[in-house]
Amino acid sequence: MSPENESEFLELGEFAARKSTGFHWAAFLVDIFPSMNCLPALLAPWKRLGKQMFDEEIHLMGEVVKAALATGNWSWSEELMRQKEKEGISWNQLCYIVGELMIGAYLSSNATMHLLITTATLFPECIRKAQAQLDEVVGSDRLPSVADEDQLPYIVAFINETLRWRPVAPLGMLHAVSKDDEYMGYRIPKNSVIVTNQWGLERDDEVHKDPEAFRPERWIENPDLPLAGFGFGFGRRKCPGNKFSQRSLYMGLSRCLWTYNILHPAGFDRKAELLNIASKGGTFPSLAPPTKAVFKIRSPKHREVVEQSWLNIDKNENQMFADIGAKVSK
């Protein structure tokens, strides 16, 4: 990534973080008392802030879309542009759709990788088990690949258990019922906001025995354990990128653990860190508090493989995006 592109990416990441923390649900009284939305803009600061944030997102994402289209490669921007006239999508709507795709992917991936690294410092014995399996299956002559996933069940189990133990969306994603409904005798009027208690679902002791314990082994002992959303949602509104996200987490963690020993720093207080990580609220994403970690290369051989892999990587972006476009269009 060039310094210029890195700067743009960081700007987009900073915007995504501001939007998620400043405009999460219940950030303003109007979220609790909807009738307040009838107030004029002069007396409704959330309206002014909302417009300012919307205008900023359209500007930022408009530049991203234009840059993507200028490459001539396949991209989601190019895909949406082809649908623009067919579906009657305006330019602002297109930019907003691209923005929401980017923000959702960035926030969830960033929060989850942060959480996985934090968890690694808290449970070094689990990391040693994961690395032992990596050494047995992959060895030290190459990086882990997608093809290794089925032979690395402990890596997958570690990710599943982390997301169960500390879900990145403790209260899920908000939804609303489209018509009057009833659940267990409770009437749910049309347009009511529905909040999923993700935290509670993951701590159902009838499903997960000793739910407060961090045990990746539970997913190996019982591969049929239900995945209660993991922040990807449910039913037809489930995040369409959930498979891509899960595969990305596997690739990120497996290669990170293959390459590095992740150690906690001197003076590390495990009990305090456990309390710290449990202190975050229910917004999405629920970022773990900042955690210090030491990344130590596992061996000179591991360093050599990583450096050589970078030198040999296929940098033909045109071909890569063309391949993706061909698969999407099938």
Side-chain angles (χ1 to χ4, degrees), residues 10 21 54 151 157 171-172 228 233 262 272 282 295 297-298 302 324:
L10 291 174
T21 55
F54 177 81
Q151 300 179 71
L171 294 180
I262 303 176
F295 287 75
I297 199 80
R298 295 184 69 198
H302 287 78
I324 295 173

Side-chain angles (χ1 to χ4, degrees), residues 4 78 81 98 110 127 211-212 226 321 329:
E4 180 181 350
E78 187 266 345
M81 278 298 291
V98 173
N110 181 46
I127 297 307
E212 282 301 324
F321 283 109
S329 61

